[in-house]
Amino acid sequence: KGDKAVTYEQAHPPHYIAHRKGWLSLHTGNLCGEGGAAERTLEDAFLRRFLGGTFPGCVLDSVVLKRRGNLVVLSAVLSRALPPHKIYFLGGYTETLLSHFLKCPVRLDLQTLPARLPYKYL
Amino acid sequence: MAAGALMGVLAPYGGCGWSCASPSGPQGVGGGEKMAAGWLCRRLCQGSAFPVSYASRILQNQCFFQNSNLVGVRLAGSQANTEGPKTNPLVSISDEPETLYKRVSLLVKGHDKAVLDSYEYFAVLAAKELGISVEKVHNPPKTVERFTLLKSVHIYKKHRVQYEMRTHYLCLELKYLTSSTAAVYLEYVQRNLPEGVAMEVKKTKIEKIPEHIREPIWDTLPQVEETEVKS
C-alpha cells in the first residue's frame, strides 16, 4: 500500500473548492440572476468526452473549460505518447469540428507532460 | 492615442475578444502603425464566421507583437507621412449633440473574490487612463444560494448533503460621461471580462427639462378677474 499516485485535483475533496482548488469549468450560468447552467453543463460533459476520445489515453487530469463571451477555450494537459505532428493535426481537427458543431469559436490550448504529476501517494 | 497605448500595456485577460467575429471592435483605435495588423485582424475575423486556424492565429500574434514595439517610435521618412491627414474609417463624427450620462454603474458578479479584485484594479486603472472620474467602488454583500439534498439514493432521510453557490459582487460607479466615452470604456472593459464573471450596466441619462414645464403655469396664464359668487 502507498503506491497509488493521486494528482492535486483528485486528492482534494469538494469542500476545498474555493479554498485550495479552482473550478474546472468557468461560465456565468451559476451566478445569481443568470441562466443557462444546464446547457453549459451538457456542453461541458460532451466536450470532456470528445477530448477524451480524440486524444486516446493521452489526456492527463481534467480539461479546464473557459467561456469568454462567445469563445470557448479548452485547456488540456496531454502526455507525450503521440508524435507532435499528430497532436497538431488532432488539435486543429477538434477546433474546427467543435466550432462547426457548437456554432461558436473554439480554441484549444495544449500542454504536454512526460507523465501524470502525483501530488501524494495513497 | 491613450487608448492605443493602454491596449499595449494592459493585456491581462488575454485579449479574448479578438477572435470573436465582430467587425466594429476597438481595432481601429490604435495608431497608424497598427493599421496593418488591425486590417489583417478584421479581414481574418470577417473572412471566416468560424475561428481562424492555428497558422493564421500565430501570424496574427506575431503581427501584434512586432507592432507593439513600434508604438511611440517615429518612423522618419516613412510612406505614412505622404498621405496627408489620416481618416480612420471606423471613427465617425456626427453633429448631433451627444447624450450625457450622470452616472454609469457597473455591477460585476462572480464566484471568485480574487478574480473580482483584480478586475476592479484593471477597470479603475482603465477609467483613470481615459480620464473618467470614478465616484465609488464598493462590494455589496455576497448572496449565497444553499440547498440541502438527501445523501443517499434510496432511504436514509437523516443523512443529507448541503451545497451552496456564492455570488460575490463588485459595484463601480462612474460620474458624468458622454455617450461616446461610455461606449469606448464599456467596450474595452467588456471585451476583457474574465471567464465566469458577468456584468450588468445601468446608465442614468441627463435630459433637458421639457418645454411645457419650464415656466410655472401661474406665470404664463393671463390674469383672470375674480367675480364674487353669491350662493
Side-chain angles (χ1 to χ4, degrees):
Chain A
K1 236 177 86 164
D3 56 346
K4 180 180 166 191
V6 144
T7 59
Y8 189 89
E9 181 70 37
Q10 294 163 347
H12 287 84
H15 64 267
Y16 279 127
I17 281 187
H19 304 271
R20 296 188 197 174
K21 265 165 80 157
W23 285 269
L24 283 180
S25 144
L26 295 152
H27 56 86
T28 59
N30 288 320
L31 291 170
C32 221
E34 309 282 336
E39 287 94 14
R40 307 294 157 267
T41 321
L42 192 64
E43 284 167 25
D44 292 351
F46 167 71
L47 287 169
R48 281 178 215 277
R49 284 196 193 197
F50 188 91
L51 282 179
T54 29
F55 297 95
C58 286
V59 182
L60 314 170
D61 228 349
S62 323
V63 174
V64 172
L65 308 173
K66 303 182 190 178
R67 278 167 233 265
R68 286 175 214 152
N70 204 17
L71 174 69
V72 179
V73 179
L74 313 169
S75 323
V77 180
L78 302 181
S79 75
R80 291 174 189 166
L82 292 174
H85 59 273
K86 288 196 183 173
I87 293 185
Y88 276 118
F89 170 75
L90 285 175
Y93 152 82
T94 49
E95 276 201 1
T96 40
L97 194 72
L98 286 176
S99 52
H100 277 264
F101 194 77
L102 296 173
K103 305 277 183 274
C104 58
V106 173
R107 199 160 70 185
L108 184 63
D109 295 329
L110 294 174
Q111 184 192 353
T112 50
L113 282 183
R116 197 166 280 188
L117 261 184
Y119 172 68
K120 63 182 186 185
Y121 293 92
L122 294 181
Chain B
M1 291 307 126
L6 177 63
M7 266 169 244
V9 166
L10 288 183
Y13 293 106
C16 61
W18 301 111
S19 55
C20 296
S22 155
S24 65
Q27 295 147 357
V29 182
E33 298 90 351
K34 277 194 179 170
M35 282 289 278
W39 175 86
L40 177 65
C41 202
R42 262 184 76 215
R43 183 79 189 85
L44 284 171
C45 283
Q46 284 173 348
S48 56
F50 303 109
V52 294
S53 56
Y54 266 117
S56 48
R57 191 166 11 94
I58 289 168
L59 181 64
Q60 187 177 327
N61 286 338
Q62 283 175 355
C63 279
F64 269 117
F65 179 73
Q66 284 160 11
N67 281 325
S68 66
N69 291 333
L70 294 176
V71 167
V73 171
R74 302 218 168 253
L75 302 170
S78 65
Q79 292 169 0
N81 292 331
T82 57
E83 287 171 359
K86 286 171 261 190
T87 47
N88 194 341
L90 290 176
V91 174
S92 58
I93 303 170
S94 62
D95 287 332
E96 57 184 47
E98 291 201 9
T99 45
L100 304 171
Y101 294 113
K102 179 176 176 189
R103 188 186 301 136
V104 172
S105 108
L106 308 176
L107 179 69
V108 185
K109 300 185 268 196
H111 284 301
D112 199 355
K113 186 126 197 319
V115 168
L116 285 181
D117 289 342
S118 92
Y119 188 72
E120 170 199 339
Y121 174 73
F122 161 75
V124 163
L125 187 63
K128 263 192 239 167
E129 289 288 327
L130 287 176
I132 301 172
S133 54
V134 178
E135 186 181 352
K136 208 168 41 149
V137 171
H138 68 286
N139 286 314
K142 64 177 188 270
T143 49
V144 184
E145 186 188 338
R146 286 194 189 103
F147 30 91
T148 314
L149 306 172
L150 298 173
K151 198 190 255 192
S152 161
V153 165
H154 185 40
I155 37 174
Y156 306 113
K157 189 70 172 248
K158 288 187 206 168
H159 302 88
R160 312 242 183 159
V161 177
Q162 288 185 319
Y163 296 106
E164 65 176 26
M165 293 192 288
R166 294 182 185 176
T167 309
H168 299 269
Y169 298 100
L170 168 73
C171 190
L172 282 173
E173 285 177 25
L174 311 167
K175 254 194 310 198
Y176 299 136
L177 298 172
T178 54
S179 63
S180 45
T181 317
V184 167
Y185 178 73
L186 286 177
E187 169 118 38
Y188 180 57
V189 137
Q190 281 165 6
R191 284 221 182 233
N192 287 308
L193 258 185
E195 50 279 340
V197 164
M199 194 202 292
E200 283 174 7
V201 178
K202 286 186 193 161
K203 298 178 186 167
T204 314
K205 236 181 0 185
I206 301 176
E207 278 184 354
K208 282 191 167 179
I209 301 180
E211 290 285 336
H212 58 274
I213 51 173
R214 266 214 199 138
E215 304 284 324
I217 292 186
W218 48 83
D219 288 341
T220 51
L221 283 183
Q223 293 288 331
V224 178
E225 290 177 4
E226 287 187 2
T227 52
E228 288 181 12
V229 178
K230 285 186 186 171
S231 57

